[in-house]
Amino acid sequence: MRFIHHLSLPSRDLKRSAAFYDPVMKALGYKRVFTNEWVIGYGLVKNQDQFALRLRQREKITTGTDNDMVVKLIDQYPDNDPDPKMRGYQLMTNAEIFRGRYLESFEKA
């Protein structure tokens, strides 16, 4: 059972980050499944990344405090589940809204 479905990390220098993460991910059994000028994805199956390095934006996408995010917890059924229809199924077990106004601190809204 996997507890983390997908993880993305921002990077200011993809080439330098890849030099570090390529051997780390290989030691964990992952390989590069895709690469482009903005993203490097690592996973077990082609084009299905579970860990990604993304080129960090130089400027903020929004300056407002009305940017809300959805945080989801997903449970994935194993590939050998007795019910063939449930194999690899991703069940959302919890979802919460994280308000952008609290991104810096919960002290001041």
Side-chain angles (χ1 to χ4, degrees):
M1 176 183 294
R2 291 184 291 170
F3 292 98
I4 297 177
H5 177 266
H6 187 92
L7 180 65
S8 294
L9 295 178
S11 171
R12 291 188 177 150
D13 184 341
L14 279 181
K15 187 175 181 180
R16 186 173 173 202
S17 295
F20 173 80
Y21 280 104
D22 281 348
V24 170
M25 298 307 287
K26 183 177 181 180
L28 295 172
Y30 292 88
K31 60 183 177 180
R32 273 200 206 191
V33 291
F34 70 87
T35 304
N36 66 28
E37 62 183 299
W38 300 100
V39 180
I40 297 173
Y42 298 91
L44 302 172
V45 181
K46 188 175 183 179
N47 294 327
Q48 293 183 11
D49 70 312
Q50 295 167 316
F51 178 84
L53 300 170
R54 299 190 182 279
L55 189 61
R56 186 177 187 161
Q57 299 289 331
R58 293 185 185 256
E59 64 278 340
K60 290 184 178 179
I61 295 172
T62 181
T63 58
T65 58
D66 59 346
N67 182 25
D68 298 334
M69 295 161 272
V70 177
V71 180
K72 299 186 281 184
L73 179 62
I74 296 173
D75 185 14
Q76 182 169 344
Y77 282 73
D79 292 334
N80 62 352
D81 193 85
D83 183 353
K85 293 180 183 178
M86 297 305 289
R87 293 177 184 162
Y89 180 76
Q90 297 173 3
L91 174 68
M92 184 170 61
T93 61
N94 197 2
E96 295 291 332
I97 303 294
F98 188 81
R99 302 287 177 202
R101 71 180 118 195
Y102 299 116
L103 192 57
E104 300 292 329
S105 170
F106 288 110
E107 297 295 320
K108 188 177 176 181

